[in-house]
């Protein structure tokens, strides 16, 4: 890195990975392994430093034409958990220290105003993943042809306990919003003449039942639920 733009990296000969580790050490933080392979990108591409912590990945992006440090902390399967722009690498090192220690996302964001927590990640951390998935599904389908399907499924107690997934005008259900997904529930998909196709993921579509109404489709899904979900 240009030490005129990043004078804090002067002692590190412009090496952002070495600088980040030095600032972390000064703050009493032992960083997880750094991925050095991305330091070699040529201008005008930014330099990216990756910290592979047990909790998830931290990507630190340093622009080459200006002093700008973007930080993105991601969780496995979920993706973005925290993101923002730091003023200094000391700020970055301290945030990574919080992350590695396992502090709650809302605590980290509350402690460091330059970071914003992802609502979906917070919901998962706080045990509200299914509720969040329903809120997202209802918002995504409001005013659309399958919006009524989502609303009626949401108002069915047996289905509200499951995680909904909306795709191609249909609705599927799983025990958890995160992999590995359960495949033992019936799914509902659109069929011809405004009807609905209901059946298992594991059987050909030609064997699925076609019904005329949303209520009939939901009743078939509820009837086919495994005993532990009734």
């Amino acid at each position: 890195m240009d030490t005129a733009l990043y004078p804090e990296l002067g002692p590190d000969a412009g090496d952002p990975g070495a600088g980040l580790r030095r600032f972390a050490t000064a703050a009493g933080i032992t960083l997880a392994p750094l991925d050095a392979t991305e330091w070699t990108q040529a201008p005008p591409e930014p330099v990216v430093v990756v910290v592979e912590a047990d909790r998830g990945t931290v990507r630190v992006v340093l622009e080459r034409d200006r002093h700008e440090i973007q930080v993105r902390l991601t969780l496995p399967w979920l993706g973005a958990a925290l993101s923002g722009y730091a003023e200094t690498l000391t700020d970055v090192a301290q945030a990574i220290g919080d992350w590695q220690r396992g502090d709650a996302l809302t605590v980290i964001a509350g402690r460091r105003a330059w970071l914003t927590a992802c609502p979906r990640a917070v919901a998962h951390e706080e045990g509200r993943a299914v509720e969040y998935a329903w809120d997202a599904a209802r918002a995504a389908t409001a005013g659309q042809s399958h919006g009524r399907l989502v609303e009626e499924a949401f108002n069915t107690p047996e289905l509200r306990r499951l995680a909904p997934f909306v795709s191609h005008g249909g609705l599927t259900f799983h025990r958890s919003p995160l992999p590995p997904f359960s495949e033992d529930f019936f799914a509902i998909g659109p069929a011809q003449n405004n009807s609905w196709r209901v059946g298992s993921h594991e059987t050909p579509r030609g064997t699925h039942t076609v019904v005329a109404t949303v209520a009939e489709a939901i009743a078939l899904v509820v009837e086919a639920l495994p005993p532990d979900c009734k």
Side-chain angles (χ1 to χ4, degrees):
M1 299 300 295
D2 184 346
T3 55
L5 283 174
Y6 293 89
E8 64 268 40
L9 294 178
D12 313 291
D15 184 331
L20 182 58
R21 192 173 293 283
R22 176 170 57 85
F23 286 113
T25 300
I29 299 164
T30 301
L31 287 184
L34 298 177
D35 185 347
T37 60
E38 298 197 39
W39 299 354
T40 58
Q41 297 182 81
E45 294 297 320
V47 172
V48 182
V49 177
V50 179
V51 180
E52 296 289 357
D54 290 340
R55 184 179 188 180
T57 302
V58 183
R59 292 175 62 88
V60 184
V61 181
L62 297 91
E63 296 293 339
R64 291 182 186 268
D65 60 350
R66 60 191 182 278
H67 191 290
E68 181 178 289
I69 307 171
Q70 182 182 20
V71 182
R72 191 166 185 261
L73 303 96
T74 62
L75 291 165
W77 301 111
L78 270 176
L82 293 159
S83 61
Y85 290 86
E87 293 186 5
T88 70
L89 285 174
T90 297
D91 293 336
V92 176
Q94 291 173 344
I96 295 175
D98 293 348
W99 174 260
Q100 293 182 161
R101 190 169 53 242
D103 291 356
L105 300 179
T106 52
V107 170
I108 298 175
R111 189 180 293 143
R112 313 198 182 281
W114 56 274
L115 278 174
T116 300
C118 171
R120 179 169 178 250
V122 171
H124 276 261
E125 185 175 73
E126 295 179 348
R128 298 182 290 104
V130 171
E131 291 87 343
Y132 184 89
W134 275 112
D135 289 344
R138 297 173 71 198
T141 58
Q144 298 187 26
S145 58
H146 54 315
R148 184 183 167 204
L149 169 65
V150 173
E151 284 299 317
E152 291 207 23
F154 173 76
N155 289 320
T156 303
E158 296 91 338
L159 299 184
R160 193 186 299 188
R161 294 194 291 266
L162 305 177
F165 287 80
V166 177
S167 178
H168 300 94
L171 184 61
T172 61
F173 306 93
H174 299 286
R175 284 182 169 80
S176 168
L178 293 180
F181 295 125
S182 49
E183 300 291 347
D184 53 344
F185 303 127
F186 276 12
I188 304 173
Q192 293 181 343
N193 300 320
N194 297 317
S195 57
W196 300 97
R197 186 184 306 277
V198 184
S200 168
H201 297 274
E202 301 174 348
T203 59
R205 289 184 61 187
T207 65
H208 292 183
T209 302
V210 176
V211 296
T213 67
V214 166
E216 291 175 291
I218 290 176
L220 287 174
V221 175
V222 172
E223 181 182 354
L225 287 175
D228 63 324
C229 294
K230 293 184 177 180

